[in-house]
Amino acid sequence: MSANKQTAHGLSASLGTWQLWGIAVGLVISGEYFGWSFGWASAGTLGFLVTTVMVAVMYGTFIFSFTELTASIPHAGGPFAYSYHAFGPAGGYVAGMATLIEFVFAPPAIALAIGAYLNVQYPALDPKIAAVGAYIVFMGLNIVGVTIAATFELFVTLLAIFELLVFMGVVAPGFSLANFTKGGWGGADEFSLAAVPGIFAAIPFAIWFFLAIEGVAMAAEEAKDPKRSIPIAYTGGILTLVVLAVGVMVFAGGVGDWTKLANINDPLPQAMKTIVGESSGWLHMLVWLGLFGLVASFHGIILGYSRQIYAQARSGYLPAWFGVVHPRFKTPHRAILAGGVVGIAAIFSDELLSFGGQSLTANIVTMAVLGALLMYVLSMAALFKLRATEPRLARPYKVPFYPVFPAVALVGALICLGTVAWFNPLLTGVFVAILALGYGYFQLTHKQREELPFAELARAEG
């Protein structure tokens, strides 16, 4: 396949394996820089370590299972297409809307963290204004072209990994296991049953370590050889992220009073400041290079949400106006801008989204996690359904240890979804309300989908 080959819908099929790995890790790597430390507030360091291990097992089994779906049905809609294929239009709607919520709500949280990092260097700069600036810059870069965007993604991802390794190396001399374990069970030094609720309450922030890695599926139509390269990208990506997540969390928690790092958007610079002081060149390097980690995820998730909006629009699930490819750049420019408008609105919606005793960023993270978990449940259910009803579907990659891996992922996702909903009833109500409003649109527009989705999905699978 040539580097500039286009799909039937006009997208450019030009991404190689390394670029897809860069997207897989880059989509997620901001989760190593911020967001996770909110989990310490409820679980403590040791409790949150338990939470993270449980979530890592769920994600490991999920990614191996999800890869089978992606390789079998390489479609820009990703989970939307898999659930549609397995459960019909209603299944496609729910999975698609859940994925949209995940990918549209994750970027404003990352943009706010970008603003917080810049505010460390420029105290007079309003973090929200910086967040809006980030949207404008990276929506533009995504519009210019997918190859340019993916190459940039790989570059900033490699820099971000390098910087996380530098962070661990610089703070290592000041690491103390006693610091990490002090009050590590939700404020207590010894484990007791009282620590268990905190361990479960911290689930959204452990998920933040890995959230959105599945977004590589939405670049499937733009990959040169998706059935070979996507399994490699996914496997390499999840292994990379597990190592980085555990390393960053342990080293950050052992350099001083970890309670000062909970509930803030820039835990790594603050942890390093404990070791090297405020004027150190290491700290300034961390702030600037740390931005690359945030930018990698922000930029990659814009690619993900735009392909999801685009795929649903061309299938009649969203207004067709969004399902248009730019005539010159071959990117879904309207879908890119649409997600940006929602994200910028979220940034300025403190009163709407900031409740339940958590910060705005923590609430946005939780909303994205709710969407992700519902999508994970539907994707694993779709895998089981398609194995039973379409045994002859071409499966270039098959999940190992079937049915154990997808079953572990499904049960883990269900437990996490129930737990997050239990601890965040108000946010869950908002989440359900969004799904209900979308379902109303879905019912009102059924005529425009009567023939379109079947033909559209058939073309993609062909």
Side-chain angles (χ1 to χ4, degrees):
M1 181 180 289
S2 69
N4 295 317
K5 183 174 179 180
Q6 293 178 14
T7 69
H9 298 287
L11 297 172
S12 176
S14 56
L15 302 182
T17 302
W18 271 105
Q19 288 167 313
L20 290 167
W21 172 85
I23 292 172
V25 177
L27 279 164
V28 187
I29 201 165
S30 69
E32 271 65 8
Y33 281 87
F34 87 105
W36 56 268
S37 65
F38 293 114
W40 280 351
S42 58
T45 47
L46 294 173
F48 189 58
L49 187 60
V50 172
T51 308
T52 302
V53 170
M54 293 190 302
V55 168
V57 170
M58 182 196 78
Y59 263 93
T61 53
F62 169 76
I63 284 301
F64 280 111
S65 306
F66 195 74
T67 301
E68 176 175 314
L69 292 167
T70 306
S72 304
I73 309 173
H75 184 274
F80 156 68
Y82 317 147
S83 289
Y84 176 88
H85 204 98
F87 305 116
Y93 159 74
V94 177
M97 183 59 73
T99 308
L100 268 183
I101 291 172
E102 174 192 359
F103 275 80
V104 170
F105 275 94
I110 300 170
L112 285 167
I114 291 173
Y117 266 67
L118 286 173
N119 183 254
V120 172
Q121 291 291 91
Y122 305 106
L125 179 63
D126 185 337
K128 291 185 179 181
I129 299 301
V132 173
Y135 261 104
I136 293 170
V137 170
F138 293 105
M139 285 191 298
L141 185 56
N142 266 277
I143 288 171
V144 167
V146 70
T147 305
I148 294 172
T151 302
F152 174 80
E153 180 79 352
L154 177 60
F155 172 71
V156 293
T157 297
L158 290 171
L159 278 178
I161 292 172
F162 169 73
E163 178 55 20
L164 291 175
L165 297 175
V166 168
F167 166 78
M168 290 183 243
V170 170
V171 303
F175 175 81
S176 166
L177 185 61
N179 286 339
F180 184 78
T181 58
K182 184 180 179 181
W185 297 105
D189 291 333
E190 301 290 335
F191 173 78
S192 69
L193 291 179
V196 174
I199 289 172
F200 280 92
I203 282 175
F205 309 109
I207 288 174
W208 192 246
F209 270 131
F210 310 102
L211 184 79
I213 187 173
E214 67 277 2
V216 176
M218 292 165 221
E221 288 186 42
E222 292 159 281
K224 295 177 184 176
D225 184 9
K227 296 181 178 182
R228 173 185 173 276
S229 56
I230 285 179
I232 296 172
Y234 268 141
T235 304
I238 194 69
L239 292 174
T240 303
L241 291 163
V242 168
V243 171
L244 292 174
V246 173
V248 167
M249 175 172 51
V250 170
F251 278 101
V255 299
D257 182 359
W258 58 262
T259 61
K260 294 180 179 178
L261 305 180
N263 288 320
I264 62 173
N265 278 339
D266 54 342
L268 301 194
Q270 300 305 324
M272 186 179 278
K273 191 183 294 183
T274 304
I275 301 298
V276 301
E278 292 191 17
S279 59
S280 169
W282 286 113
L283 179 63
H284 292 292
M285 186 183 76
L286 178 73
V287 171
W288 283 111
L289 290 185
L291 280 169
F292 283 110
L294 303 177
V295 164
S297 291
F298 185 66
H299 179 64
I301 294 177
I302 288 174
L303 187 149
Y305 80 59
S306 62
R307 271 54 180 184
Q308 186 66 207
I309 293 172
Y310 165 75
Q312 292 193 43
R314 76 187 189 196
S315 300
Y317 283 71
L318 291 173
W321 189 84
F322 297 118
V324 174
V325 172
H326 193 283
R328 177 183 174 189
F329 300 125
K330 307 304 178 187
T331 54
H333 57 298
R334 292 177 181 174
I336 291 170
L337 295 172
V341 169
V342 176
I344 291 170
I347 287 171
F348 291 98
S349 298
D350 300 61
E351 293 77 13
L352 176 63
L353 292 173
S354 187
F355 44 70
Q358 292 184 319
S359 69
L360 173 62
T361 302
N363 277 297
I364 294 175
V365 167
T366 303
M367 182 68 80
V369 166
L370 283 167
L373 289 170
L374 179 56
M375 182 269 284
Y376 297 164
V377 169
L378 290 169
S379 294
M380 293 302 94
L383 175 61
F384 282 113
K385 177 73 180 301
L386 291 172
R387 278 286 191 113
T389 59
E390 298 194 33
R392 295 185 180 180
L393 178 67
R395 292 179 172 86
Y397 174 91
K398 288 189 174 182
V399 56
F401 305 109
Y402 181 87
V404 175
F405 271 23
V408 169
L410 177 59
V411 172
L414 283 168
I415 291 172
C416 289
L417 180 59
T419 302
V420 175
W422 175 264
F423 282 102
N424 300 276
L426 292 175
L427 268 180
T428 302
V430 174
F431 177 72
V432 171
I434 293 172
L435 287 176
L437 287 171
Y439 189 73
Y441 177 84
F442 169 77
Q443 292 285 50
L444 289 172
T445 56
H446 68 93
K447 288 186 178 179
Q448 70 190 50
R449 293 187 304 273
E450 286 179 349
E451 296 182 5
L452 180 60
F454 297 91
E456 131 70 17
L457 286 174
R459 282 197 300 272
E461 289 154 17

